[in-house]
């Protein structure tokens, strides 16, 4: 079919109601659009069928993960353009129904159907989560965590680097060009400082990942640490690291749900990048469980990604690409909601620090590491899984940069009835 690219680009502009500042390169070798612009590569007609049968973000994601849709040129520029035209407009099947009232749009869809070939819905890529059962039970949480984290420790080493910290690093300033490893070390030390850790204390690290926080706290501050994760692969890796560091007498790594921890009280609790998995219906239960595990005067450091509040919170929907391919069942809440829930559980919130820009920089470093060793990343997982990680990390970097999402460290205390919080009088001086 000759000149598919110009037809696709014209149809896209017609249906979006806006210019498409991208080149389009199609399966027939044709291309159309500004020659200096990045290109959206439609490798076959199956990509169109993905988008027709699942209009909006999920259809685009399926085509990308399957390898039917690609990008030539700067990834961030292209993702930024597409997010402005589709994702940030919230286009989905309901929006398409509204658009189909326009006769020109209906004609465009008919033309797209002709271009797409046989009207048979393509199977979703095997990397897509198949939803089963209720959300945020112990079983479903374990399954969701396994989907994201049990994809191979070697793959995570490739992306994260030697620190093996899968959360936002902490950079000295905007001009800093320090290593990712030093910035991750600074983040772990910031958490320890906010918790006021001292030798002999007990720390619970909820969602301990590959053990980096537990090891740092035990080695640098002399505390005893229990780290819990739902990922068997993470636990095996973390235990080996603990043994290699000679810290088995001070660090215990468990495969355990936070709801099943029963050996409190702890002097401090760190929860870094874990609370996003809890879900709004369970969040108060989560906060109360951590409160009950702390001794009076104990501190909680809750490090959590946040979304912007919506005018009508009942309209909030989990991002379909993230839910289907990245963090199944994950939910983001505004930071104000998180603070309120912690307070409802009994905590006194003492400090909230936004480190949004730090996460954008961290994600760009992860994407660079993935792209630099792409062939090995594909061998370690699958082509589809590597494409998922590349897209989600690049899109997330842009979302942090544009203030679509943020990340905050909330420091809270189980303040005793006497009111003696044990906190310093001056903010940001963490040891009294």
């Amino acid at each position: 079919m000759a000149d598919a690219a110009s037809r696709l680009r014209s149809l896209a502009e017609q249906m979006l109601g806006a210019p498409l500042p991208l080149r389009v390169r199609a399966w027939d070798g044709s291309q159309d659009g500004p020659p200096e612009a990045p290109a959206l590569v439609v490798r076959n007609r199956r990509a169109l069928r993905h988008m027709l049968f699942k209009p909006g973000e999920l259809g685009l994601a399926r085509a990308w993960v399957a390898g039917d849709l690609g990008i030539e040129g700067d990834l961030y520029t292209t993702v930024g353009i597409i997010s402005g035209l589709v994702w940030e407009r919230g286009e989905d099947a309901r929006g398409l129904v509204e658009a189909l009232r326009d006769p020109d749009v209906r004609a465009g869809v008919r033309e797209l159907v002709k271009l797409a070939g046989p009207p048979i819905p393509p199977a979703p890529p095997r990397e897509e989560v198949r939803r089963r059962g209720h959300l945020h039970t112990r079983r479903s949480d374990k399954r969701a965590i396994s989907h994201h984290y049990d994809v191979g420790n070697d793959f995570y080493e490739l992306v994260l680097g030697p620190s093996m910290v899968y959360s936002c690093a902490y950079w000295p300033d905007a001009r800093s060009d320090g290593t990712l490893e030093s910035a991750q070390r600074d983040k772990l030390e910031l958490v320890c400082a906010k918790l006021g850790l001292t030798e002999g204390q007990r720390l619970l690290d909820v969602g301990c990942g590959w053990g980096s926080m537990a090891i740092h706290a035990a080695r640098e501050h002399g505390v005893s640490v229990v780290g819990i994760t739902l990922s068997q692969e993470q636990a095996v890796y973390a235990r080996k690291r603990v043994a290699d560091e000679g810290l088995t007498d001070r660090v215990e790594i468990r495969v355990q749900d936070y709801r099943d921890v029963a050996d409190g009280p702890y002097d401090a609790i760190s929860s870094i990048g874990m609370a996003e998995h809890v879900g709004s219906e369970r969040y108060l239960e989560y906060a109360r469980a951590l409160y009950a595990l702390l001794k009076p005067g104990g501190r909680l450091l809750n490090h959590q990604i946040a979304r912007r509040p919506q005018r009508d919170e009942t309209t909030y929907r989990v991002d379909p690409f993230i839910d289907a391919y990245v963090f199944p069942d994950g939910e983001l809440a505004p930071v104000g909601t998180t603070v309120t829930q912690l307070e409802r559980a009994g905590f006194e919130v003492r400090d909230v620090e936004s480190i949004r820009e730090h996460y954008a920089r961290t994600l760009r470093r992860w994407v660079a590491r993935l792209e630099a060793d792409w062939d090995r990343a594909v061998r370690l997982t699958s082509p589809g899984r590597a494409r998922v990680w590349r897209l989600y990390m690049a899109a997330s970097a842009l979302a942090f940069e544009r203030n679509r999402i943020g990340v905050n460290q909330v420091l809270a205390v189980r303040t005793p009835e006497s009111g003696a919080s044990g906190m310093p009088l001056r903010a940001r001086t963490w040891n009294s």
Side-chain angles (χ1 to χ4, degrees), residues 87-161:
W87 297 332
E88 291 171 13
R89 286 165 41 151
E91 298 291 347
D92 57 15
R94 289 171 297 177
L96 181 61
V97 169
E98 291 296 316
L100 285 173
R101 294 177 180 176
D102 185 328
D104 291 336
V105 173
R106 287 203 301 272
V109 171
R110 286 195 295 270
E111 176 70 10
L112 190 59
V113 169
K114 290 179 185 177
L115 273 174
I120 301 170
R126 65 185 180 88
E127 290 81 8
E128 185 170 312
V129 170
R130 276 41 169 192
R131 191 70 61 208
R132 302 195 302 267
H134 299 287
L135 296 182
H136 301 300
T137 63
R138 285 168 171 77
R139 178 177 295 179
S140 69
D141 281 351
K142 189 174 182 64
R143 189 164 55 237
I145 291 299
S146 178
H147 171 86
H148 187 81
Y149 294 101
D150 291 344
V151 298
N153 293 327
D154 290 344
F155 175 77
Y156 275 105
E157 283 182 339
L158 184 153
V159 175
L160 304 180

Side-chain angles (χ1 to χ4, degrees), residues 141-365:
D141 281 351
K142 189 174 182 64
R143 189 164 55 237
I145 291 299
S146 178
H147 171 86
H148 187 81
Y149 294 101
D150 291 344
V151 298
N153 293 327
D154 290 344
F155 175 77
Y156 275 105
E157 283 182 339
L158 184 153
V159 175
L160 304 180
S163 68
M164 287 300 282
V165 179
Y166 192 25
S167 56
C168 165
Y170 194 70
W171 308 90
D173 55 60
R175 298 178 301 278
S176 171
D177 60 355
T179 67
L180 177 62
E181 286 67 42
S182 65
Q184 289 291 15
R185 185 174 58 250
D186 288 349
K187 189 275 299 299
L188 297 177
E189 185 55 33
L190 177 69
V191 172
C192 291
K194 289 181 176 182
L195 290 173
L197 297 182
T198 58
E199 189 168 352
Q201 289 186 325
R202 293 185 77 213
L203 169 68
L204 175 65
D205 187 29
V206 181
C208 67
W210 294 270
S212 299
M213 174 64 193
I215 289 168
H216 181 90
R219 185 182 60 217
E220 304 299 327
H221 297 272
V223 297
S224 296
V225 188
V226 171
I228 61 171
T229 175
L230 294 179
S231 165
Q232 188 67 46
E233 287 194 21
Q234 282 186 334
V236 170
Y237 189 98
R239 287 167 185 155
K240 183 179 185 307
R241 290 180 73 194
V242 168
D244 290 346
E245 291 277 348
L247 293 171
T248 52
D249 60 330
R250 278 187 276 167
V251 178
E252 178 188 0
I253 303 294
R254 304 174 184 167
V255 177
Q256 188 174 37
D257 192 288
Y258 71 90
R259 288 163 286 199
D260 296 328
V261 178
D263 60 345
Y266 288 87
D267 298 281
I269 298 175
S270 54
S271 178
I272 306 172
M274 178 272 178
E276 298 89 339
H277 298 286
V278 170
S280 58
E281 291 186 5
R282 297 281 188 183
Y283 203 91
L284 185 57
E285 177 185 357
Y286 158 81
R288 284 173 172 162
L290 301 193
Y291 183 87
L293 286 167
L294 276 173
K295 73 174 189 180
R299 300 181 189 181
L300 164 70
L301 191 287
N302 190 78
H303 175 122
Q304 181 177 341
I305 298 172
R307 61 176 171 85
R308 303 290 297 169
Q310 298 185 184
R311 188 169 298 175
D312 179 3
E313 280 292 314
T314 64
T315 64
Y316 169 65
R317 297 292 182 271
V318 176
D319 181 282
F321 166 59
I322 297 296
D323 191 44
Y325 288 99
V326 186
F327 294 109
D329 305 344
E331 295 178 46
L332 300 183
V335 63
T337 301
T338 296
V339 167
T340 296
Q341 294 289 64
L342 291 172
E343 289 182 330
R344 288 181 65 196
F347 283 105
E348 179 188 7
V349 172
R350 298 293 303 221
D351 185 80
V352 179
E353 181 179 5
S354 171
I355 52 177
R356 173 174 62 83
E357 293 87 351
H358 295 261
Y359 219 156
R361 178 177 288 201
T362 305
L363 282 155
R364 283 182 177 262
R365 295 290 182 99

Side-chain angles (χ1 to χ4, degrees), residues 399-411:
F400 281 110
E401 288 167 356
R402 297 176 179 185
N403 193 27
R404 300 289 185 264
I405 54 177
V407 61
N408 305 278
Q409 289 192 347
V410 180
L411 179 64

Side-chain angles (χ1 to χ4, degrees), residues 65-77:
V65 176
D68 300 326
L69 194 66
I71 290 171
E72 279 182 2
D74 186 74
L75 175 66
Y76 295 99
T77 299

